[in-house]
Amino acid sequence: MSSPTGPASGLPVRMPRPRQPGRHRRPEPVAAPEGAPALVLAVPGVPSTTMRGLAEEVVSIARSELPGLDARIGYLDGEEDATVTSFPEFPSLHSVLAHAAAERTARVERARAAGAEVADPEGPVAVVVPLLAGPDAALMRRLRQAVMDSRAAAELTDVLGPHPLLAEALHVRLSEAGLARADRARLFTVATAADGIVLATVGGEEAVQAAGITGMLLAARLAVPVMAAALDEEGAIAATAEQLRGSGSTQLALAPYLIGPELDSALLEAAAKEAGLSVAEPIGPYPAIGKLALAKYTTTLGITPQQPSGAPAH
């Protein structure tokens, strides 16, 4: 057991690695600037412990990529009441932003009360990153309204996709379900691997078009046709599956181009059953999600120039 002051006697102690000299040494990790705005992950859907666990894993990945990051979670349909001393289990996005703004104001007032000359803060108090793989006009309208209602100086970023890392995540979920090869070099095959993929998304035609871009990247990885369809449009999944069958695919799979909170699992199951498709898991808290959320944050603030691994070169 460990003690309050450190590990128990006899247990190994993790020591920092010495820096490698010369041109091949690893670069020092970039840390969040002091006083940087909070990254607020905006989570759609009805709050639940499962959803909270997913969101917490995403922000944990973001924090590990940028030490010192102030990362918080706000639920689009969360609880509104929040004070400095009391905060609900599932705080609304509105509450989280208002709380962050109140904290910044309090810091400035304390500094001035201590005699420091502190200018009024400039820039956003938070950067809001939607936990969405693709565009959803209705959800984005609600997110913008929540940001406005908070009266906090916050910036709302675009959704996480399309992006090559999302194609990678979809590939992994398909391979975990035995519906795709686990590698890109075809070193071995899976007997149940699909020869056609339907990407299920929500959010209308704009979402389908955006999913189609990631679908092309997934098709290049798997060397099978991939088509996107709207899960929230009646009959769209079945019609897309028939289109793939008409082009020669016989063993089809349904891959949710969804992170999880925005997914109606009953709708997914019904669509898969109607179309006769095997189903992979949603993207979930895949490490790329945390990296993409952080990339939206850092790009908005200009903190770091680098894109997450897998980003297309410009």
Side-chain angles (χ1 to χ4, degrees):
M1 294 180 61
S2 61
S3 69
T5 57
S9 176
L11 293 178
V13 178
R14 182 174 300 215
M15 300 295 291
R17 294 180 180 178
R19 293 186 62 189
Q20 290 180 311
R23 57 186 291 198
H24 298 295
R25 71 179 181 220
R26 293 182 180 179
E28 289 294 303
V30 177
E34 185 177 354
L39 186 164
V40 178
L41 191 69
V43 184
V46 179
S48 67
T49 54
T50 299
M51 186 188 301
R52 182 177 59 198
L54 188 159
E56 287 176 347
E57 192 163 346
V58 170
V59 298
S60 176
I61 292 166
R63 289 190 189 108
S64 70
E65 294 286 321
L66 185 65
L69 174 67
D70 177 6
R72 311 182 186 198
I73 301 168
Y75 299 87
L76 191 55
D77 293 306
E79 303 167 78
E80 287 296 339
D81 294 333
T83 66
V84 174
T85 58
S86 176
F87 220 62
E89 184 179 13
F90 299 106
S92 69
L93 176 61
H94 171 277
S95 295
V96 171
L97 293 176
H99 196 253
E103 284 181 329
R104 182 161 78 171
T105 299
R107 284 195 299 270
V108 172
E109 290 176 350
R110 286 195 299 269
R112 288 173 176 169
E117 293 186 8
V118 181
D120 290 334
E122 296 182 358
V125 69
V127 174
V128 180
V129 181
L131 190 59
L132 294 169
D136 187 312
L139 285 176
M140 290 302 289
R141 277 196 300 271
R142 292 187 61 202
L143 287 170
R144 281 190 288 270
Q145 190 62 52
V147 171
M148 290 174 59
D149 290 346
S150 72
R151 298 185 179 180
E155 293 200 25
L156 177 64
T157 75
D158 201 355
V159 296
L160 303 182
H163 197 279
L165 286 176
L166 292 175
E168 174 189 294
L170 290 165
H171 184 177
V172 169
R173 295 297 180 239
L174 285 163
S175 66
E176 289 172 345
L179 300 172
R181 293 180 301 274
D183 71 318
R184 297 178 63 179
R186 305 188 184 187
L187 298 179
F188 61 90
T189 60
V190 178
T192 57
D195 59 5
I197 308 291
V198 178
L199 280 192
T201 188
V202 294
E205 185 57 31
E206 183 185 5
V208 172
Q209 291 179 2
I213 297 172
T214 300
M216 288 189 292
L217 300 171
L218 181 62
R221 295 179 68 95
L222 300 179
V224 302
V226 178
M227 295 184 67
L231 186 62
D232 48 356
E233 180 183 330
E234 187 175 355
I237 299 294
T240 303
E242 284 307 307
Q243 192 174 345
L244 282 169
R245 291 187 178 106
S247 63
S249 298
T250 59
Q251 194 160 297
L252 303 181
L254 183 61
Y257 185 59
L258 302 162
I259 296 172
E262 75 280 39
L263 173 63
D264 183 336
S265 57
L267 200 61
L268 180 68
E269 292 171 6
K273 184 176 181 180
E274 179 188 10
L277 305 177
S278 301
V279 187
E281 290 292 321
I283 295 171
Y286 188 72
I289 300 302
K291 294 178 181 180
L292 288 173
L294 180 63
K296 292 294 181 184
Y297 171 86
T298 56
T299 299
T300 299
L301 299 177
I303 292 177
T304 55
Q306 69 261 29
Q307 289 283 335
S309 175
H314 295 285

